[in-house]
Amino acid sequence: MTLVHWLAAILTLLGLGYVTLVVAAWRRYGRVRRLARAAPDLLLDTFMPAYDVLERHHIRIAAPREIVFAAAAEMNMQQSPIIRAIFATRAFVLRANADATARPTGLLDQMRSLGWGELAMSPGREVVMGAVTQPWDPNPRFQAIPPGSFASFREPGFVKIAWTLRADSRRGGGSDFWTETRAVATDAKARRKFRWYWARFSPGVALIRYLSLAPL
């Protein structure tokens, strides 16, 4: 086989893999299997006990939880060329405008500058961030909702998203680090739009979450 044939075969396999992930995400939407874990995330459950989609990732780190949590809060995901490429691909597909705003590099400060709000904080251990938005918009706006109103927010046409950074101490030393994202649409129309959006872009979202573990 020539180099061109090899490249064509690789691109074909990548395309088939992507289509498989899209179909799986479409079928799984709204039927999330609650994943078992040793310690339920009570903070996150307070704000979003039911959801349409779920992304959860975990890594074990040989460092105290306070150090792990602090490192997670300050990490700069834009340092990853793959993550930058994923964001650029979304912008190209949806024809989004470039964000010319100068933003902080630390993860939590950057998310706050985009409009995300802090729903809850357990110092040195966990933070829950949340916002409502319309993800299918090429340039989505993130609107923070007061913690006391987040769970009951039902304004039509939006998707509520909550995500966490969490570090748990392990027996014998070290930490378990978790990042979890949940989302739920506020009405049937938003649910249809978000389901199609999520099916197409969830492979990229999952890859971003996975790659964000590497710097830790």
Side-chain angles (χ1 to χ4, degrees):
M1 293 180 67
T2 66
L3 178 60
V4 173
H5 289 137
W6 278 111
L7 290 175
I10 292 172
L11 290 174
T12 299
L13 289 175
L14 290 174
L16 290 174
Y18 173 73
V19 170
T20 299
L21 292 174
V22 169
V23 172
W26 174 271
R27 296 184 62 182
R28 193 168 55 242
Y29 183 92
R31 294 182 290 180
V32 178
R33 179 171 60 89
R34 273 49 177 176
L35 302 178
R37 62 180 294 172
D41 197 319
L42 300 180
L43 271 182
L44 186 54
D45 287 343
T46 299
F47 300 101
M48 193 175 293
Y51 35 91
D52 292 327
V53 299
L54 166 69
E55 278 291 331
R56 178 184 294 156
H57 298 275
H58 164 253
I59 188 173
R60 293 179 178 176
I61 302 175
R65 75 179 190 193
E66 293 82 4
I67 293 177
V68 172
F69 181 81
E74 293 296 328
M75 65 180 169
N76 181 5
M77 294 197 300
Q78 293 296 328
Q79 290 181 334
S80 167
I82 298 177
I83 292 177
R84 292 199 305 271
I86 292 171
F87 284 124
T89 300
R90 181 200 180 276
F92 175 79
V93 170
L94 297 182
R95 300 181 181 180
N97 298 322
D99 182 8
T101 305
R103 302 195 184 280
T105 56
L107 178 60
L108 289 187
D109 287 340
Q110 186 179 92
M111 294 300 102
R112 292 186 183 103
S113 77
L114 287 167
W116 293 86
E118 183 180 300
L119 297 176
M121 170 72 83
S122 177
R125 182 171 181 266
E126 182 175 14
V127 62
V128 181
M129 303 291 288
V132 298
T133 187
Q134 296 175 324
W136 51 83
D137 190 292
N139 295 95
R141 296 177 59 186
F142 298 96
Q143 176 185 346
I145 303 296
S149 305
F150 188 86
S152 60
F153 181 87
R154 294 290 185 275
E155 184 176 336
F158 288 94
V159 174
K160 291 196 298 184
I161 306 174
W163 56 271
T164 66
L165 303 175
R166 175 174 176 173
D168 296 332
S169 296
R170 291 180 55 81
R171 290 184 179 179
S175 307
D176 284 305
F177 176 77
W178 305 83
T179 176
E180 184 168 335
T181 303
R182 300 177 184 179
V184 61
T186 57
D187 67 345
K189 185 176 180 180
R191 191 173 189 270
R192 288 192 296 270
K193 289 183 177 181
F194 183 50
R195 186 179 188 182
W196 175 230
Y197 175 89
W198 181 252
R200 289 185 295 165
F201 291 101
S202 62
V205 173
L207 184 56
I208 288 172
R209 294 292 186 267
Y210 175 77
L211 291 173
S212 70
L213 301 178
L216 294 178

